[in-house]
Amino acid sequence: MIWEVFRQEKEKDYHTHVGNVHAPDAELAKQYAQIMHARRKPANSLWVVPKEKIETVHADDPGTEMGGTTQKQYRWATNYNTDETFAEEIEASQREQEEAERDLAEADN
Amino acid sequence: MDIDTVKRRAGPREFGPGDDMPREYREAATRMIQFHANSEIMGAYIERPFIRQAPSLDRKLAISAQVQDEVGHGQLLYRAAEELGIKTREEMLEELEAGEGKFLNCFHYPLDDWYELPMIMFFVDGAAMRRQATLKRTSWEPYAHAIDKICFEEGFHIKHGEDILRTIATGSKRDRERLQAAFEKWWPRILQFFGPTDDQSTHGEFAMEVGLKTMSNDDLRNAFLNAYVPKAEKYGLELPEYPRVEYHESDDYYEVYEEDLDWEEFFTVAKNEHPTGVGQIEKRERTQAAVEWVREAIESPEQGGVTPATADD
Amino acid sequence: MVATEELSDRERAAVEAELRTLADDEFVVAERYTEWQVRGPTLEADIAIANIAQDELGHARLWYDLLEAFGYDQVDLIWERDPDDFRHATLVELPFEDGDWADCVVRGYLYDTHEHLRLQALEDSAYVPIADRVGKVRGEEHYHREHAQNWLERLAESREGRERVQGAVDRLFPHALTLFERTDHEEAIVDTGVRPEPIADLRAEWRDIVSGFLAGLGVEVPVESAEELLPEARGRNGIHTEVWRSLYDEFTFTYRQLGRSEAPSLMPAPEEADVDV
């Protein structure tokens, strides 16, 4: 069986996909994952998940339109232009969205 | 994606499992990565007897770890190749056992004793590291990703190899003579590590065009010689007269006289037809056949109900 | 117990005897495990057994290091030592038949379970340097035991696997009993507190555990007395099986070929590594 391995570096980090192991069961999969992905750099935690259990949705799947197709600017702080000044956290949120918009624009090119 | 788009977009880590790559690309990438994975396994196989031969506890630990790393690298690489959708890991391993899987020329020759070990552990592994460093920019992202981890782990292999070399090179006169003999034996094979110069290489051109390969054989070999000829000299090793290797200071370039190298043997080796290489493949095939029962036992456990025997009766 | 330099002769002999069996066991079991590298049933299994081999070698290194306090160096303890002087159990020197992965995991299971009990007893050793190192070794041995158990559970699910495991148990069990053979210094080891629990007690506990576990998998364990089962070569008495000599010759071959007289270290010595910077 193939098990996908996810590694959490430190407490509170998200787990990241790092590879897979072939193992007949969860016990051996966990042991192998430790040796293959944490013998030099100890991880805080590892997840092993049977590959066949992973469900995916892909941008190219028919009928899939991630994010939708009609206008959604109402979701973006950048859409709203008023003369007001805003609290710090609102400004920060806007900056983050501006960056995200830039990334999206680059990806589309 | 059509092949022209691939060539146009080709760049470091440009393509991944989410991309619809044309068959030609996927086959070329599979070939390259499979060769690399096979080489890790067959290289490990050549080195493994020296775990037992290590003349100190720490050396034994280090060689065991090196061999272990190489099997691990094989695992990573087969996975990166599998993602191209051409062959499964199982198929690639079967091909290797059956003598169809290709691997590095140097691993078709036996290592006779400890004196020869640094030839593989320092020079050959060093050459491999040189190539791997350039593969960090390969266009198939999963391959590049595997390479990151391989490079991270392999630094110690070459450093340990150099330590072994140094210990012998600073030993007795006999040690140094044996070392020189080992070097002369292996040097031509090491020069052939990067393959023939580009005009003779079959798959090289396409691999370069689609970004899989990022440096020509010629440039790779030159970079290797730049780093390792001085090392050889540092340890008192003399380059033999033939094959001729001339350093051109003006271009900072090592000219290798290709006609001095046995390319016939190289191509026989490449087809897995060289006797010692055949021997290695067959030996490994036997050891793998011997553990086939384990793979079968764990893949499909029989439903023959087990009644746990009670301790008494 | 007093500091090493101040031990009585009897105490010193006891410490040395216990350390030698520990170190020799770990060294030889590791040596055999490395035979599986690049020959394992799967790539992952290969990498795992290599890890276990390196752990065991690391343990051997810790125990041999303690013996250096008695004036020996690695060359005396391994590379130029008389092969008859080794005190490992015969279980660990036995060769593997080609492809006999069942042997590998059965051997591991029997060995690691013994280790578990022995180290537990040594946690309370009156000889502080041993007690200090036990924790490190136990940490890794726990993992080894799990590995062996996982594999045994898995193999026992199929008829072929169970048969092979049974074959390995039949063959290895008598040799595993030699893990609990007494050295000449057993009395001193117990009453000086080097190992407060007599090895015979550990053997009884061990037999209970392994019989229970293996029976649960449908595998039979010999029930005869130790005296009936024990082979003639028992390791701890300096008598080894006929394969030991050739194994010894193999692992000392390059050392002799190179005409060495010392064994280079590549890492700091254990006590230096322990110091927290």
Side-chain angles (χ1 to χ4, degrees), chain C residues 88-94 107 110-111 172-173 175-176 178-179:
Chain C
H88 54 277
T90 57
L91 174 73
V92 299
E93 75 199 27
L94 299 175
R107 181 182 308 205
L110 297 175
Y111 180 78
L172 297 176
F173 195 83
H175 290 282
T178 72
L179 287 162

Side-chain angles (χ1 to χ4, degrees), chain B residues 130 194 215 218-228 254:
Chain B
R130 185 84 291 277
F194 295 101
M215 215 180 200
D218 219 27
D219 288 342
L220 280 168
R221 188 172 62 199
N222 196 56
F224 166 74
L225 291 170
N226 251 306
Y228 286 82
Y254 281 91

Side-chain angles (χ1 to χ4, degrees), chain A residues 1 4 17 19-22 24 35-37 39-41 58, chain B residues 18 68-69 72 75-76 79 82 89 149 152-153 156 298-299:
Chain A
M1 255 177 94
E4 298 297 332
H17 189 210
N20 70 17
V21 293
H22 291 228
I35 302 174
M36 295 199 56
H37 296 282
R39 78 173 175 281
R40 280 183 165 91
K41 294 199 282 188
H58 195 275
Chain B
Q68 179 192 36
D69 278 353
Q75 200 268 5
L76 292 177
R79 181 175 168 264
E82 228 179 14
R89 164 172 132 173
K149 189 151 189 223
F152 172 71
E153 294 185 345
F156 104 78
I298 63 179
E299 285 311 314

Side-chain angles (χ1 to χ4, degrees), chain B residues 135-208:
Chain B
L135 288 170
K136 285 192 178 194
R137 301 171 52 80
T138 190
S139 59
W140 183 242
E141 201 281 335
Y143 191 19
H145 201 80
I147 295 285
D148 287 339
K149 189 151 189 223
I150 292 172
C151 285
F152 172 71
E153 294 185 345
E154 277 200 4
F156 104 78
H157 298 193
I158 287 98
K159 288 184 76 171
H160 185 223
E162 186 166 2
D163 196 64
I164 294 177
L165 178 65
R166 182 181 333 116
T167 313
I168 302 173
T170 53
S172 67
K173 179 155 173 287
R174 183 172 154 272
D175 278 347
R176 284 176 275 128
E177 282 168 4
R178 296 286 295 262
L179 188 67
Q180 176 67 30
F183 182 68
E184 287 179 26
K185 186 179 181 188
W186 280 88
W187 185 238
R189 304 164 186 173
I190 293 165
L191 286 173
Q192 293 183 310
F193 174 105
F194 295 101
T197 52
D198 304 284
D199 29 300
Q200 291 177 49
S201 155
T202 4
H203 302 293
E205 204 184 303
F206 180 76
M208 289 285 270

Side-chain angles (χ1 to χ4, degrees), chain B residues 46-291:
Chain B
I46 289 250
E47 288 176 347
R48 59 170 304 290
F50 292 93
I51 303 169
R52 175 144 300 166
Q53 290 306 313
S56 79
L57 272 180
D58 283 7
R59 286 242 190 273
K60 201 179 282 279
L61 280 160
I63 300 177
S64 171
Q66 265 168 264
V67 171
Q68 179 192 36
D69 278 353
E70 282 157 11
V71 175
H73 298 165
Q75 200 268 5
L76 292 177
L77 291 165
Y78 286 123
R79 181 175 168 264
E82 228 179 14
E83 297 207 77
L84 288 152
I86 303 284
K87 294 179 189 174
T88 63
R89 164 172 132 173
E90 227 165 42
E91 285 168 338
M92 291 185 268
L93 285 168
E94 270 164 26
E95 283 179 9
L96 183 60
E97 271 165 54
E100 287 152 25
K102 309 261 198 276
F103 55 97
L104 200 56
N105 71 319
C106 293
F107 301 142
H108 290 251
Y109 301 98
L111 275 174
D112 287 339
D113 57 32
W114 189 261
Y115 293 104
E116 295 192 19
L117 189 60
M119 301 308 136
I120 295 280
M121 258 189 206
F122 181 60
F123 291 104
V124 175
D125 280 358
M129 264 296 257
R130 185 84 291 277
R131 183 164 89 219
Q132 274 152 202
T134 68
L135 288 170
K136 285 192 178 194
R137 301 171 52 80
T138 190
S139 59
W140 183 242
E141 201 281 335
Y143 191 19
H145 201 80
I147 295 285
D148 287 339
K149 189 151 189 223
I150 292 172
C151 285
F152 172 71
E153 294 185 345
E154 277 200 4
F156 104 78
H157 298 193
I158 287 98
K159 288 184 76 171
H160 185 223
E162 186 166 2
D163 196 64
I164 294 177
L165 178 65
R166 182 181 333 116
T167 313
I168 302 173
T170 53
S172 67
K173 179 155 173 287
R174 183 172 154 272
D175 278 347
R176 284 176 275 128
E177 282 168 4
R178 296 286 295 262
L179 188 67
Q180 176 67 30
F183 182 68
E184 287 179 26
K185 186 179 181 188
W186 280 88
W187 185 238
R189 304 164 186 173
I190 293 165
L191 286 173
Q192 293 183 310
F193 174 105
F194 295 101
T197 52
D198 304 284
D199 29 300
Q200 291 177 49
S201 155
T202 4
H203 302 293
E205 204 184 303
F206 180 76
M208 289 285 270
E209 285 170 358
V210 295
L212 284 168
K213 198 168 141 83
T214 61
M215 215 180 200
S216 69
N217 289 352
D218 219 27
D219 288 342
L220 280 168
R221 188 172 62 199
N222 196 56
F224 166 74
L225 291 170
N226 251 306
Y228 286 82
V229 168
K231 289 277 192 183
E233 285 164 0
K234 175 177 173 184
Y235 294 108
L237 292 168
E238 276 173 36
L239 264 57
E241 199 189 330
Y242 290 91
R244 285 165 292 172
V245 176
E246 271 170 26
Y247 179 60
H248 298 283
E249 195 157 342
S250 47
D251 310 317
D252 190 25
Y253 177 73
Y254 281 91
E255 184 185 356
V256 177
Y257 285 70
E258 304 245 328
E259 58 269 37
D260 294 350
L261 291 162
D262 190 343
W263 291 105
E264 214 181 285
E265 182 172 294
F266 180 83
F267 287 113
T268 309
V269 162
K271 286 185 290 189
N272 287 344
E273 287 172 5
H274 190 261
T276 51
V278 171
Q280 278 297 95
I281 294 168
E282 286 179 353
K283 227 169 62 170
R284 197 178 158 272
E285 200 256 323
R286 281 196 298 275
T287 62
Q288 285 303 306
V291 283

Side-chain angles (χ1 to χ4, degrees), chain B residues 40-42 44-46 48 50-69 71-76 78 89 93 112-115 160 163-164 167-168 172 174-175 178 283-284 286-288 290-311, chain C residues 27 31-44 46-48 50-55 57-58 60-61 64 74 78-79 98-102 151 154-162 164-165 211 215-220 223 247 249-255 257-260 262-268:
Chain B
E40 294 280 348
I41 304 295
M42 295 312 279
Y45 197 61
I46 289 250
R48 59 170 304 290
F50 292 93
I51 303 169
R52 175 144 300 166
Q53 290 306 313
S56 79
L57 272 180
D58 283 7
R59 286 242 190 273
K60 201 179 282 279
L61 280 160
I63 300 177
S64 171
Q66 265 168 264
V67 171
Q68 179 192 36
D69 278 353
V71 175
H73 298 165
Q75 200 268 5
L76 292 177
Y78 286 123
R89 164 172 132 173
L93 285 168
D112 287 339
D113 57 32
W114 189 261
Y115 293 104
H160 185 223
D163 196 64
I164 294 177
T167 313
I168 302 173
S172 67
R174 183 172 154 272
D175 278 347
R178 296 286 295 262
K283 227 169 62 170
R284 197 178 158 272
R286 281 196 298 275
T287 62
Q288 285 303 306
V291 283
E292 180 64 34
W293 74 268
V294 182
R295 290 188 283 272
E296 283 168 8
I298 63 179
E299 285 311 314
S300 48
E302 286 157 47
Q303 303 310 304
V306 122
T307 338
T310 43
Chain C
F27 178 75
E31 190 62 66
R32 282 299 186 201
Y33 279 155
T34 63
E35 281 175 30
W36 285 102
Q37 292 194 240
V38 206
R39 286 154 146 190
T42 65
L43 298 175
E44 287 82 1
D46 212 296
I47 296 163
N51 223 55
I52 293 175
Q54 286 156 41
D55 285 350
L57 265 177
R61 190 173 167 271
Y64 283 128
Q74 199 185 115
I78 304 176
W79 310 103
D98 275 350
D100 198 350
W101 185 250
W151 264 106
R154 198 65 203 188
L155 287 177
E157 281 174 10
S158 74
R159 190 183 358 251
E160 161 115 47
R162 207 161 51 245
R164 296 239 190 186
V165 168
S211 304
L217 299 178
V219 176
E220 283 172 28
V223 295
L247 177 60
D249 287 343
E250 249 187 85
F251 71 71
T252 54
F253 177 80
T254 291
Y255 177 89
Q257 183 194 39
L258 297 169
R260 291 285 160 84
E262 26 171 56
S265 293
L266 299 170
M267 299 184 278

